[in-house]
Amino acid sequence: MTPMTAPNSAAGRSGGVESKRAIIVGASSGIGRELAIVLSQAGWSVGLMARRHEELEETARRMTSPGIVTVADLADVEAAQVRFAELMAQLGGVELVVLSSGVGFLNPDLSWPEEQQTIAVNVTGCAALAGAAFREFERAGRGHLVGISSIAAIRGGAAAPAYGASKAFLSNYLEALRCRAIKKRLPIAVTDIQPGFVDTAMAKGEGKFWVASPQVAARQIYGAILRRRRHAYVTRRWRLIAWLLRWLPESLYARM
């Protein structure tokens, strides 16, 4: 791990005042990077985790408050869990964990390597770190877990089967963790963010309808975090599309 203006102590205190601390998994680009910048501007100390070191360093340079960089690939689950635990320890614990990491491929030919990589990162890797974060929050008695899912979680998509299915898994898993917190009467918030089209590399130029910039998406996500929302569409107008997708008959949906 590489500190980029590390906290004044392992407990994340500065000048005797405890700072807000967060980890963003998938902070090397897109929504994750912009959210890290937004958090830093709001005074958070942020741990940055992704598989691309140079891009993480660039994110840290653009932040205005403490950041710590650590490299990990969610496809390597055991190593990612170790690095995540080390990052959390270096920050002295955190109040917020955001899972923004993910991969996706247009895969109409159902090539297995692409499907397998999507499942490895978006399902296995994200579930492992979501569980690790939640266990830490249970021990601390508080916390906030945020997962960046997708509007694609609502229905299966013929062009990218594993991507939509993996995001549906994440949404379902987040709901299960939220139910666990409610059942145990713990003040742990769990937020499922479902973006529509955002102008990132993940979109691969496919999204032309209601495309949001990563900066706009990050600001809306931060608003949902502050309100401890259970669920939010980004941008908010996508709630209409979500409603239509849920109620559209499959005979029509399959032709889209």
Side-chain angles (χ1 to χ4, degrees):
M1 285 174 288
T2 306
M4 298 283 296
T5 318
N8 289 345
S9 73
R13 293 178 178 270
S14 178
V17 178
E18 187 173 4
S19 65
K20 298 172 290 186
R21 296 155 298 179
I23 290 174
I24 298 181
V25 181
S28 59
S29 64
I31 292 173
R33 168 176 285 178
E34 296 303 326
L35 185 57
I37 293 168
V38 169
L39 288 175
S40 73
Q41 292 170 342
W44 290 71
S45 298
V46 187
L48 309 171
M49 183 172 170
R51 62 183 177 83
R52 297 177 296 175
H53 183 264
E54 191 171 317
E55 286 81 356
L56 282 176
E57 295 283 359
E58 174 61 24
T59 300
R61 282 191 290 271
R62 293 174 57 186
M63 291 166 54
T64 58
S65 68
I68 300 175
V69 167
T70 188
V71 176
D73 185 348
L74 264 64
D76 186 348
V77 175
E78 292 185 3
Q81 286 176 307
V82 170
R83 301 299 280 174
F84 181 78
E86 292 173 347
L87 180 57
M88 185 169 287
Q90 189 167 354
L91 284 163
V94 298
E95 292 76 44
L96 172 68
V97 172
V98 179
L99 299 176
S100 184
S101 186
V103 298
F105 304 93
L106 294 176
N107 192 18
D109 296 329
L110 294 178
S111 172
W112 176 240
E114 284 81 3
E115 300 291 90
Q116 185 177 40
Q117 185 180 352
T118 301
I119 293 166
V121 174
N122 298 5
V123 175
T124 308
C126 283
L129 294 196
F134 196 86
R135 288 191 298 273
E136 287 298 321
F137 291 154
E138 284 184 321
R139 282 191 278 272
R142 61 189 175 90
H144 192 168
L145 174 64
V146 178
I148 309 298
S149 178
S150 171
I151 200 80
I154 296 172
R155 300 288 291 264
Y163 180 75
S166 71
K167 292 302 184 179
F169 172 90
L170 179 58
S171 290
N172 190 291
Y173 199 79
L174 292 169
E175 183 178 24
L177 294 178
R178 187 185 309 116
C179 291
R180 180 183 175 99
I182 293 169
K183 186 174 182 180
K184 292 191 170 189
R185 299 182 180 180
L186 291 171
I188 300 173
V190 180
T191 301
D192 180 13
I193 302 292
Q194 290 190 322
F197 293 131
V198 179
D199 188 14
T200 66
M202 183 76 72
K204 301 182 187 300
E206 292 299 313
K208 302 298 183 184
F209 180 71
W210 283 348
V211 179
S213 69
Q215 294 81 7
V216 168
R219 288 195 295 270
Q220 290 199 10
I221 291 168
Y222 186 53
I225 290 170
L226 292 179
R227 293 190 294 274
R228 296 174 75 83
R229 293 277 303 276
R230 295 185 178 190
H231 179 275
Y233 295 109
V234 174
T235 58
R236 287 181 287 271
R237 65 181 69 182
W238 279 88
R239 65 167 65 94
L240 172 62
I241 303 301
W243 182 86
L244 291 172
L245 285 173
R246 286 191 175 92
W247 290 102
L248 195 66
E250 186 172 327
S251 58
L252 295 178
Y253 174 75
R255 298 192 186 104
M256 294 175 60

